[in-house]
Amino acid sequence: MTAGIPCMQMRGGSSKGAYFLGSDLPADAGERDDLLLRVMGSPDAREIDGLGGGHPLTSKVAVVTPSADDDADVDYVFLQVVPDRAVVTGAQTCGNLLAGVGPFAIERGLVAPGGDTTRVRIRIMNPTVAYAEARVQTPGGVVRYDGDTVMAGTPFAAAPIRLVFPGADTSIFPTGRLADTFAGVDVTCVNAGMPVVLLRAADLGIAGDEAPSVLEADSVLRERIEAVRLKAGAAMGLGDVTDLTVPKMTIVSPPRDGGAVTTRTFIPHRVHDAIGVLGAVSVAAAVRAGGTVLDAAAQPGSLIKIEHPSGTFAVTIDLDGEGAEARVHTSGVVRTARKLADGLVWPRSGKAIA
Ligand code: NQM
């Protein structure tokens, strides 16, 4: 019988995934990905034979290793396990699972707790190297999960984890323009950590505050958005994105609840119940820059509230430069995470039945 593999299941932000030490997984990426499919229960829309929850937001993996980089304590590789296809992709990172990386690193002894709050410096390894700092509550040298912070997209309060992202020296507008037209639809392509394409709800003939299930059921809308995505992805330098989970497609419309903008995000085939962390940072970057399909002037304040299907997501962000030259100076979000289970997982040994 296959041996059990050490694994911690955590809710990270509004997602859920399996966290592993890199040393507990095969070094070869192909072998690792094959193992992860068998751990999560993919390919199967329900992932009934594995830890995955049958939705992209609950079929995620974080691989954490001590970092060789002086600027980081740990390296974080994010892998999206596609539930209904035998695909494991590292073409994107995930800011929600990132929220669990600090607690996991402390729990596994990779980072020593340092007072009431422990700072964990994280090198995000894919799709390109980036850095983040997580501030984790560790009173008495133990990770604290309980707390009063309520995060839209998660029904229960928990301890806050502040994630801070340093700036970058590349423009947030990967096509070099504030707006483009692809497949007849005006869009803004923006990337402040997650490649996102903004589309106006009015241009798609919808209100923009529909429930995710309503949008997912609209096959004409889905096909139109996919046609835009394939062209926008190439123009953003992502190549052929047919089988990739990026760019994310965010439908924007005027705010309803005091925020800067209402969003509905295809990630890219299911619609997010909320919005991804770095997805929200990218939208907030476009809000701050102005002159985009958001049809608004650059917003002056650092705090940007992004409305989504289950509430609002607050991002603090400052930019350097203007217009198509705008770059992130710094950004930050508050998330929560929770250890759900810690032990051994037994991967399926059987092959998928066609
Ligand atoms: O954008 C969903 C999530 C994400 C990614 C997705 C994320 C991010 O909510 O940083 O967190 O867009 O695939 O976990």
Side-chain angles (χ1 to χ4, degrees):
M1 185 181 172
T2 319
I5 300 164
C7 171
M8 185 179 288
Q9 246 197 332
M10 297 186 89
R11 174 182 64 74
S14 53
S15 285
K16 190 156 61 173
Y19 289 68
F20 296 92
L21 286 178
S23 52
D24 288 328
L25 292 177
D28 176 78
E31 280 176 41
R32 177 201 65 194
D33 292 354
D34 173 66
L35 178 81
L36 293 176
L37 290 170
R38 292 183 288 117
V39 163
M40 300 303 273
S42 171
D44 167 28
R46 293 183 304 152
E47 296 185 311
I48 195 68
D49 203 19
L51 294 184
H55 190 285
L57 298 179
T58 53
S59 185
K60 300 185 165 213
V61 170
V63 184
V64 181
T65 45
S67 184
D69 184 330
D70 288 343
D71 291 329
D73 301 307
V74 292
D75 290 347
Y76 159 52
V77 171
F78 169 73
L79 296 163
Q80 176 73 61
V81 178
V82 177
D84 54 352
R85 288 182 298 134
V87 173
V88 178
T89 169
Q92 69 165 92
T93 188
C94 172
N96 272 312
L97 246 58
L98 175 66
V101 169
F104 177 75
I106 297 166
E107 295 258 10
R108 285 285 188 264
L110 304 186
V111 175
D116 283 351
T117 302
T118 300
R119 292 176 183 234
V120 181
R121 299 169 309 149
I122 301 165
R123 179 166 63 159
I124 299 168
M125 301 302 285
N126 60 312
T128 52
V129 169
Y131 294 85
E133 184 179 281
R135 298 177 188 163
V136 182
Q137 294 193 357
T138 48
V142 176
V143 176
R144 180 174 153 196
Y145 294 102
D146 292 341
D148 297 329
T149 298
V150 178
M151 214 193 63
T154 308
F156 308 107
I161 297 169
R162 181 151 186 82
L163 298 173
V164 180
F165 304 101
D169 51 16
T170 47
S171 164
I172 58 171
F173 297 110
T175 67
R177 290 175 294 274
L178 296 171
D180 291 279
T181 304
F182 297 119
V185 182
D186 294 340
V187 303
T188 291
C189 300
V190 59
N191 186 351
M194 182 65 71
V196 171
V197 178
L198 306 177
L199 316 89
R200 291 187 198 99
D203 291 347
L204 299 168
I206 60 173
D209 62 350
E210 290 82 357
S213 57
V214 170
L215 298 174
E216 283 182 3
D218 187 339
S219 58
V220 174
L221 175 72
R222 282 206 327 257
E223 277 171 29
R224 198 164 171 208
I225 288 177
E226 184 63 3
V228 176
R229 193 179 79 84
L230 297 180
K231 290 202 157 47
M236 294 169 88
L238 300 170
D240 177 1
V241 298
T242 312
D243 290 325
L244 301 187
T245 54
V246 285
K248 310 295 177 183
M249 304 301 284
T250 298
I251 301 170
V252 295
S253 61
R256 273 82 171 170
D257 198 19
V261 60
T262 299
T263 64
R264 295 290 183 269
T265 303
F266 281 79
I267 61 168
H269 305 299
R270 303 294 303 269
V271 177
H272 207 304
D273 297 322
I275 187 169
V277 173
L278 291 156
V281 173
S282 291
V283 176
V287 171
R288 290 245 34 201
T292 69
V293 296
L294 291 167
D295 296 325
Q299 194 158 307
S302 300
L303 179 65
I304 305 292
K305 290 185 183 165
I306 309 293
E307 298 180 15
H308 58 68
S310 44
T312 58
F313 191 134
V315 176
T316 50
I317 180 162
D318 288 307
L319 302 181
D320 289 322
E322 289 188 357
E325 305 295 317
R327 303 174 304 281
V328 175
H329 178 73
T330 181
S331 62
V333 301
V334 174
R335 300 269 87 190
T336 69
R338 206 169 77 75
K339 174 169 69 170
L340 305 177
D342 192 9
L344 301 177
V345 61
W346 275 269
R348 173 189 82 229
S349 56
K351 292 203 184 318
I353 299 164

